[in-house]
Amino acid sequence: MVHAHILRLPSVFIFSLSVFLGIFLAAIFHRYRVSDILPSQLEISHSLSYLRWLQSINISFPSLDDDKSKMTVSETSFLKNKVRVLCFVMPQYKDSSSLLAYFGAGPGGGPSFDAASAIVKTWGRRCNKLVFFGHSPRIRPPGVSVLPIRNGVAGSWNALREALVQVAVSYQDSYEWFLKVDLETYVIVENLRYYLAIFDAAQPHYFGHVYETWDSQYNAGEAGLVLSRGALRKLHNSFIKGLCDGDSRSGDVGLGRCLADIGISPSDTRDSRGRGRFLALDLEEHLVQKDSLWRNSYWTKSRYKTGEGPHCCSDFAVTFHAQANTIYILEYLVYHLKPFGISTPLVPLH
């Protein structure tokens, strides 16, 4: 009997160990099952989807009309009218000098290089509507709205929730898409419209660069995030019902948790080569390889992994984190610098 008991011990131990390893491996598989698969393995190329979308609405380029006597509409102009984007800018700090100076009136009347002024003079002009939240400045360009944040600390869920309510009440019926960015952000709006064109704005979409913690997934505020009209409407309805009450946590985390509570999850926005479209770091930090790669919270928190160096960023990247001077530099490089003898097709098939 003693010998039989001793013989049974290894079997019990092996069974217990097998169960433990099975649970452990299942958890690892759940964590990485999507993030290690490139989007090209999950869906067809975005470029092909875009071309099929154009065909579905009977549009072809370079001309929108076979009647050459009519004015030819450029692809970017067509998308600006078809894919209407409201851009709203949130401050990092409620009483920052950027919010008090804003649009080019520096000390002594000299030039101002704050981020709000840079946005207005560069990429902000390409949004269908540009809105800032914060203190209203004494000087502002025509057509630029500055809406007050009365409650909460800038960067908090309270502040973002209040801004989202104002956007929903005032603008949700006038625009299909709503881009939220921080002050230190550069946006290539044409690439944003190109990406969004194939999606139905009436459905609840939540786009950006996905971070993951042990209890939630959310889009990083530093990379900017996009809500469809369907998502904003569903979110606003949850506010009306008393759900998603404000608290002191950061705005991007609070938004992600609130959207999760109403069944909206962030999407993988990488391109067909696994490169990022919404980029939360300065361009240099994405392009220049560093030994501290895995110690950086960006790399460790990212739900869908991207590379670094030339493989970091999509050819059709949408956002970069950028301070005011970098915003002007990126504007020149993207829209003004041209290598002689090289042209780029409108819709390359990647």
Side-chain angles (χ1 to χ4, degrees):
M1 295 293 293
V2 174
H3 293 295
H5 177 69
I6 293 174
L7 289 173
R8 282 196 299 269
L9 282 178
S11 299
V12 173
F13 174 77
I14 292 172
F15 174 77
S16 301
L17 180 62
S18 299
V19 171
F20 172 79
L21 288 175
I23 295 173
F24 177 72
L25 292 173
I28 292 177
F29 176 74
H30 176 75
R31 169 66 178 83
Y32 290 103
R33 69 185 189 279
V34 176
S35 64
D36 290 342
I37 300 175
L38 294 183
S40 57
Q41 296 171 266
L42 303 175
E43 60 183 352
I44 63 174
S45 161
H46 185 88
S47 296
L48 291 175
S49 298
Y50 175 75
L51 291 174
R52 290 176 181 176
W53 172 72
L54 289 176
Q55 293 171 357
S56 72
I57 55 176
N58 298 317
I59 296 296
S60 61
F61 288 99
S63 174
L64 288 176
D65 199 306
D66 292 333
D67 184 353
K68 302 304 180 185
S69 66
K70 296 183 179 180
M71 182 184 298
T72 298
V73 180
S74 73
E75 194 164 4
T76 54
S77 297
F78 168 75
L79 286 177
K80 186 171 184 179
N81 293 324
K82 189 71 175 177
V83 185
R84 295 174 298 176
V85 179
L86 179 141
C87 307
F88 68 100
V89 185
M90 297 291 295
Q92 288 91 336
Y93 305 100
K94 186 173 183 180
D95 297 317
S96 70
S97 59
S98 292
L99 292 175
L100 299 176
Y102 256 140
F103 305 115
S112 171
F113 294 99
D114 62 82
S117 177
I119 289 171
V120 171
K121 294 175 182 177
T122 59
W123 66 262
R125 299 175 298 174
R126 302 180 186 100
C127 300
N128 294 86
K129 177 73 174 179
L130 177 63
V131 176
F132 287 84
F133 284 93
H135 294 313
S136 296
R138 289 171 297 184
I139 303 173
R140 64 172 179 247
V144 175
S145 301
V146 181
L147 304 178
I149 299 176
R150 296 181 177 85
N151 301 308
V153 176
S156 70
W157 172 227
N158 279 328
L160 179 56
R161 186 181 187 276
E162 181 182 349
L164 287 165
V165 169
Q166 294 190 57
V167 169
V169 170
S170 300
Y171 302 114
Q172 72 175 353
D173 293 327
S174 301
Y175 304 94
E176 287 81 31
W177 299 95
F178 303 87
L179 169 68
K180 176 265 176 187
V181 297
D182 296 334
L183 275 170
E184 295 183 344
T185 309
Y186 185 80
V187 183
I188 305 174
V189 182
E190 294 86 352
N191 287 354
L192 175 61
R193 290 194 180 99
Y194 168 63
Y195 177 68
L196 296 175
I198 67 172
F199 298 101
D200 182 359
Q203 298 302 312
H205 295 292
Y206 173 39
F207 297 129
H209 179 83
V210 186
Y211 278 167
E212 183 175 53
T213 63
W214 67 273
D215 65 341
S216 63
Q217 293 183 18
Y218 61 94
N219 283 322
E222 304 92 333
L225 57 90
V226 180
L227 295 173
S228 65
R229 177 191 288 165
L232 182 63
R233 181 168 284 125
K234 195 170 181 180
L235 185 66
H236 186 223
N237 288 338
S238 74
F239 296 158
I240 294 173
K241 295 175 182 177
L243 304 176
C244 300
D245 289 338
D247 55 38
S248 59
R249 67 184 142 200
S250 67
D252 51 356
V253 174
L255 176 60
R257 290 180 176 175
C258 180
L259 289 171
D261 289 342
I262 58 176
I264 303 175
S265 300
S267 301
D268 182 358
T269 59
R270 296 175 299 170
D271 70 10
S272 58
R273 298 180 183 178
R275 301 171 300 182
R277 282 190 172 92
F278 294 82
L279 300 150
L281 303 179
D282 294 341
L283 183 56
E284 178 184 355
E285 294 182 76
H286 284 288
L287 289 174
V288 180
Q289 298 184 6
K290 298 179 181 179
D291 293 336
S292 60
L293 173 63
W294 297 110
R295 292 194 295 272
N296 189 306
S297 63
Y298 171 83
W299 304 105
T300 56
K301 290 193 299 184
S302 293
R303 176 69 177 94
Y304 302 105
K305 307 303 182 186
T306 59
E308 62 172 344
H311 304 292
C312 69
C313 315
S314 173
D315 292 350
F316 294 98
V318 172
T319 62
F320 295 96
H321 182 267
Q323 297 181 348
N325 58 337
T326 307
I327 288 176
Y328 290 113
I329 293 170
L330 288 170
E331 179 76 3
Y332 170 74
L333 293 175
V334 172
Y335 291 96
H336 299 281
L337 181 63
K338 295 180 176 65
F340 177 76
I342 298 177
S343 61
T344 304
L346 287 174
V347 189
L349 298 179
H350 288 305

